Amino acid sequence: MKQLKVLVLARSYPNNIQPHLGLWTEGFVQAISKQCEVCVVSPVPYCPPLPSRISYTRFRRIERRQRVNGIEVFRPRFLVGPGYLLHSFEADAYGWGVHREVERLHREFEFNLIHAQFSYPDGVVAARLGKQYKVPMLITEHAPWRPWMDNYPRVRRQAVWASSLSASHIVVSRYVQETIAHFTGEPEKLHVIHVGVDGSLFTPLPTGHKPDPNRILYVGQINFNKGVDILLQAMRLLVERRPSLRLTLIGGSFYRHQRLQEQKIRSLAKEPGLRGCVEFLGERSPHEVAEQMRQNALLVLPSRAESFGAVLVEALACGTPVVATRCGGPEDIVTEDVGMLVPPEDPAALSQAIEHVLAHRQRYDPAHLRKYALENFGWEHIASQTIDLYHQALGSFPSISQSKQQMGITGSNEQRHPI
């Protein structure tokens, strides 16, 4: 059988300036590359050679082309406005920015399928390119559509249109599935395929070694959506009862509004009752994250909203139990056998769950936690599920085209953008 050639469109993809951007997409690409030929187009915002905020001028230093672990990654530029000023037009700018690169790849790489990461703007552009080059396209959505789509009707119309043209619309959790089905009315097209974990990187401690029973870990962005302020409140309650406990936070911020939130959270950690108990390590490489997950007794994800919660799966693969909030994605991961779930924005409940897991730490067998993580979320499993959808998409593509013709979508209307 001829090997599939897949073009991945992914604005969220690691680069030399943002090495942790979209690590989940890179992991996915590496996984499917074992069975497919893959190239990645990952456009980055264009920053003109004028004085600007440092968070934007850094985009100029992003390499336009890289070969990473055997995968070619191309990074054309596209114009974006500050904040959400031009958000509704971002798919147009994205499309204009990538069209020459994609045209060249179609000649040289001859991709026969397009896979977009996120519905907007990547998925909208993928839908337009799929029509232009007459190849099927799929979308993986990593974020819930509500309340975001409620506030941007023009974006919503484009995203719903792209979903209608996708051969399959993959979602990373049941929570994300529900929010999209609310708008598309096509739950049968939405396939839940989770974010995966690299079992060769996230591994348990060697036999005979044990984690520090007084260390708790958080990994993620340091902001309020992630509930880090709630975690600090819970930590204050915990150290009153267990003064030896220590909290380590890994993560950082790239944009100005994120850095402002991080500054506020860091100031909370200096208040009475927490001094000396909280350590911020900043951003760390995946290898360093994995080492911290092995050495800590517990990982906590206290988010107010979470599409999935990949760090939970990574911790479990390291043999570390988890505590998370019922905020969307974690419900697909956390069972009573691997950790605990609590309501969001409830410091008392969070502190009690942390204390309970720490007190019964011996019940969470690292080998069982790892087996659960790899069997359900290992990248090999995720890639297999996705490639099955690729073959389905290619097998049914002619019939899809015929059905669109019957619906009157082709012809003169086919060239109109749904804006």
Side-chain angles (χ1 to χ4, degrees):
M1 182 181 294
K2 188 176 180 180
Q3 193 171 39
L4 290 177
K5 292 186 175 182
V6 182
L7 170 63
V8 173
L9 290 183
R11 179 178 175 181
S12 291
Y13 204 86
N15 58 58
N16 55 299
I17 300 301
Q18 298 168 288
H20 302 115
L21 176 68
L23 282 171
W24 60 88
T25 306
E26 184 181 47
F28 166 75
V29 168
Q30 290 294 325
I32 65 168
S33 70
K34 296 176 182 178
Q35 300 182 56
C36 308
E37 291 185 59
V38 189
C39 69
V40 178
V41 172
S42 179
V44 299
Y46 169 72
C47 183
L50 298 170
S52 181
R53 289 177 180 167
I54 189 170
S55 60
Y56 290 98
T57 57
R58 283 179 287 183
F59 289 125
R60 298 176 195 161
R61 305 200 306 273
I62 294 177
E63 297 180 9
R64 290 181 175 268
R65 180 174 179 173
Q66 279 184 304
R67 188 173 183 86
V68 183
N69 297 323
I71 305 296
E72 290 282 358
V73 183
F74 304 93
R75 299 191 182 90
R77 270 47 178 173
F78 75 110
L79 185 65
V80 296
Y84 278 72
L85 180 63
L86 300 178
H87 186 53
S88 297
F89 302 93
E90 204 163 288
D92 296 314
Y94 187 128
W96 295 329
V98 306
H99 82 276
R100 288 185 180 177
E101 197 74 74
V102 173
E103 187 176 83
R104 181 187 62 78
L105 285 170
H106 188 255
R107 291 194 306 268
E108 300 174 7
F109 181 67
E110 294 185 290
F111 55 85
N112 47 26
L113 184 141
I114 302 172
H115 191 163
Q117 302 292 319
F118 288 97
S119 305
Y120 185 87
D122 313 71
V124 175
V125 175
R128 294 174 182 173
L129 293 172
K131 291 197 300 177
Q132 179 179 348
Y133 294 107
K134 297 180 173 56
V135 297
M137 53 79 66
L138 295 84
I139 299 170
T140 290
E141 182 56 82
H142 298 268
W145 279 19
R146 304 193 77 183
W148 170 45
M149 290 293 186
D150 292 312
N151 301 325
Y152 291 92
R154 194 167 185 272
V155 170
R156 181 174 67 243
R157 289 194 297 270
Q158 295 175 73
V160 169
W161 171 81
S163 178
S164 73
L165 291 188
S166 65
S168 290
H169 201 159
I170 299 167
V171 291
V172 298
S173 67
R174 290 174 295 170
Y175 166 56
V176 174
Q177 181 184 38
E178 291 170 4
T179 67
I180 296 177
H182 173 82
F183 294 109
T184 66
E186 294 183 300
E188 68 283 351
K189 181 178 280 191
L190 300 170
H191 302 268
V192 178
I193 300 180
H194 302 297
V195 175
V197 61
D198 182 352
S200 66
L201 172 60
F202 294 92
T203 58
L205 285 169
T207 303
H209 292 71
K210 293 185 180 298
D212 188 328
N214 292 312
R215 288 177 60 185
I216 303 166
L217 180 66
Y218 165 85
V219 178
Q221 293 184 342
I222 311 297
N223 61 35
F224 292 106
N225 183 65
K226 290 289 188 177
V228 182
D229 56 318
I230 302 298
L231 177 56
L232 293 178
Q233 293 177 46
M235 189 67 186
R236 183 181 288 109
L237 297 173
L238 283 164
V239 295
E240 289 178 356
R241 300 187 292 269
R242 295 183 58 167
S244 59
L245 284 182
R246 296 294 181 267
L247 170 65
T248 299
L249 299 103
I250 295 178
S253 308
F254 186 81
Y255 296 102
R256 181 174 179 272
H257 74 280
Q258 296 172 339
R259 293 198 303 271
L260 292 174
Q261 290 189 42
E262 182 176 350
Q263 290 171 11
K264 292 179 181 178
I265 289 170
R266 282 177 176 265
S267 67
L268 294 176
K270 297 176 182 178
E271 294 181 354
L274 287 177
R275 290 174 185 167
C277 300
V278 181
E279 180 183 21
F280 292 86
L281 296 186
E283 292 190 349
R284 289 290 187 268
S285 70
H287 287 276
E288 291 172 302
V289 169
E291 182 60 27
Q292 286 291 328
M293 287 179 171
R294 287 188 281 271
Q295 297 291 346
N296 280 260
L298 172 69
L299 180 128
V300 185
L301 187 63
S303 304
R304 289 178 165 88
E306 195 73 50
S307 301
F308 179 61
V311 295
L312 298 171
V313 178
E314 292 167 352
L316 293 173
C318 291
T320 302
V322 297
V323 170
T325 49
R326 293 187 185 91
C327 61
E331 287 95 309
D332 283 12
I333 303 170
V334 183
T335 69
E336 62 181 12
D337 293 328
V338 303
M340 291 186 68
L341 288 170
V342 299
E345 301 198 60
D346 190 335
L350 185 62
S351 68
Q352 291 166 10
I354 291 171
E355 195 166 30
H356 178 86
V357 173
L358 290 175
H360 300 87
R361 183 65 171 75
Q362 70 281 2
R363 295 183 183 176
Y364 299 98
D365 176 39
H368 170 76
L369 300 183
R370 178 172 173 79
K371 180 181 179 181
Y372 170 80
L374 297 187
E375 287 184 352
N376 292 280
F377 308 103
W379 273 127
E380 183 177 343
H381 175 61
I382 303 305
S384 177
Q385 290 179 293
T386 306
I387 291 171
D388 284 346
L389 292 181
Y390 288 172
H391 289 297
Q392 292 177 30
L394 288 166
S396 62
F397 187 62
S399 62
I400 291 175
S401 299
Q402 292 169 8
S403 67
K404 298 299 181 186
Q405 290 173 353
Q406 294 170 0
M407 294 168 62
I409 295 178
T410 57
S412 60
N413 291 334
E414 189 78 10
Q415 302 303 317
R416 294 175 61 191
H417 291 164
I419 297 175

